[in-house]
Amino acid sequence: MNQPKQTEKKQIILWGKRVAAILTLIVWAVVLYKIFQSGGNFNDQAPKCIFSTMLIFGVLTGIYKGLEYWERQA
């Protein structure tokens, strides 16, 4: 009886990882698009691109670590 709940929980975690990755890529693409549309030269845009990329994928890493922790508890 406990086995189906664990399988269901693992499926939820797997889909959570997928959704988080897809949403992260969409947010990243939108942010980069906005930065490129804001104008300015490469020296103005590069720090914004680097910072936003690090921040966005840092959040994704945190989400993955949280989901992996939850998966180990299952």
Side-chain angles (χ1 to χ4, degrees):
M1 192 160 137
N2 197 12
Q3 186 66 22
K5 285 192 175 201
Q6 285 182 337
T7 304
E8 182 180 321
K9 191 173 186 180
K10 289 188 183 218
Q11 283 292 89
I12 292 170
I13 292 168
L14 178 65
W15 277 103
K17 288 180 180 180
R18 290 176 182 168
V19 168
I22 290 169
L23 287 176
T24 300
L25 289 174
I26 291 169
V27 168
W28 182 57
V30 168
V31 168
L32 288 182
Y33 177 78
K34 294 288 186 182
I35 290 171
F36 294 145
Q37 293 300 315
S38 68
N41 59 18
F42 178 77
N43 291 336
D44 293 337
Q45 292 178 347
K48 295 175 189 174
C49 288
I50 292 169
F51 176 75
S52 62
T53 299
M54 290 174 61
L55 182 64
I56 290 168
F57 285 99
V59 170
L60 176 63
T61 301
I63 292 170
Y64 260 73
K65 292 291 184 183
L67 289 171
E68 286 176 350
Y69 175 77
W70 188 29
E71 189 174 25
R72 281 192 305 268
Q73 300 300 319

